[in-house]
């Protein structure tokens, strides 16, 4: 192989890594600014927080809507990847422990991205042009809870009667608790609320 070509080969990979690092810096800054200012946040403020020029910001994202859509996608995918790992890891454990593990992950994700998490949930309720009509976080979370419920029914730990509604009811309770924590800014109460939620829900469905 030509020595010159060997020297040139790493350059595209380096540029790609630098581009991804810049993109992630913009995502992180956008999450903070959008969480503080809402959907109307100025691109100039996001660029300043990311430490890049406005021109660089627009080189990566066409407009604020494109940036928000990308941020929702990447943060949602990161959460779903973790959820899938937990769902696989807890298979075979008692239903109560499986559900507790999944909910613990959801609440930990909220604490890490509290302001933006609430914003994303509200956007899914509005179903505007920013968020796709299908595949939102609530839908995906419900699908994974449904899997745990089916496991619980098959193991004889969960009542079969009405089980088709269990996941939707639980996710609705989770969503309400997270929105309350975001609105009151009392994340310190979140763990207690999560414990009460789990106790109430299990009392109604366990055999």
């Amino acid at each position: 192989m030509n020595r010159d070509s060997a020297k040139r080969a790493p350059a595209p990979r380096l540029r790609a890594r630098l581009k991804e690092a810049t993109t992630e810096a913009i995502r992180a800054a956008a999450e903070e600014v959008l969480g503080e200012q809402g959907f109307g946040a100025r691109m100039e403020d996001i660029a300043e927080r990311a430490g890049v020029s406005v021109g660089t910001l627009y080189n990566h994202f066409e407009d604020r809507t494109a940036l928000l859509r990308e941020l929702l996608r990447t943060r949602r995918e990161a959460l779903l990847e973790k959820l899938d790992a937990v769902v696989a890891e807890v298979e075979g454990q008692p239903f109560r422990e499986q559900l507790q593990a999944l909910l613990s992950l959801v609440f930990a994700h909220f604490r890490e991205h509290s302001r933006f998490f609430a914003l994303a949930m509200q956007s899914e309720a509005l179903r505007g042009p920013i968020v796709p009509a299908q595949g939102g976080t609530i839908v995906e979370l419900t699908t994974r809870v449904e899997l745990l419920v089916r496991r619980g029914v098959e193991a004889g730990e969960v009542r079969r009667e009405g089980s088709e509604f269990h996941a939707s009811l639980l996710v609705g309770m989770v969503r309400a608790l997270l929105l309350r924590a975001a609105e009151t800014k009392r994340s310190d109460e979140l763990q207690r609320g999560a414990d009460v939620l789990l106790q109430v829900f299990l009392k109604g469905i366990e055999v």
Side-chain angles (χ1 to χ4, degrees), residues 76-77 79-85 87 95 98-99 102 105-106 135-151 167 170-171:
R76 180 171 62 244
E77 288 181 355
L79 172 61
L80 297 181
E81 184 177 344
K82 293 176 183 177
L83 286 174
D84 286 338
V87 168
F95 172 74
Q98 293 189 46
L99 190 59
L102 184 139
L105 176 59
V106 171
T137 308
I138 299 300
V139 174
E140 296 288 353
L141 177 57
T142 302
T143 298
R144 284 151 179 81
V145 175
E146 286 173 342
L147 174 57
L148 298 191
V149 169
R150 286 197 298 272
R151 289 177 182 174
L170 176 66
V171 172

Side-chain angles (χ1 to χ4, degrees), residues 18-31:
L18 290 173
K19 181 178 180 180
E20 177 55 31
T22 301
T23 300
E24 182 51 36
I26 293 172
R27 291 189 195 115
E31 180 175 340

Side-chain angles (χ1 to χ4, degrees), residues 95-96 99 157-163 166 169 173 196-207:
F95 172 74
R96 176 183 290 261
L99 190 59
E157 299 175 75
V158 173
R159 294 174 181 153
R160 186 177 299 276
E161 182 182 3
S163 61
H166 291 348
L169 292 171
M173 293 167 68
V196 172
L197 184 158
L198 189 63
Q199 180 181 359
V200 170
F201 182 73
L202 291 174
K203 186 176 181 179
I205 71 166
E206 285 186 319
V207 174

Side-chain angles (χ1 to χ4, degrees), residues 34-51:
L34 288 166
E36 295 166 5
Q37 301 180 14
F39 286 151
R42 299 169 65 248
M43 293 290 271
E44 291 81 0
D45 292 339
I46 295 172
E48 181 179 0
R49 187 75 60 92

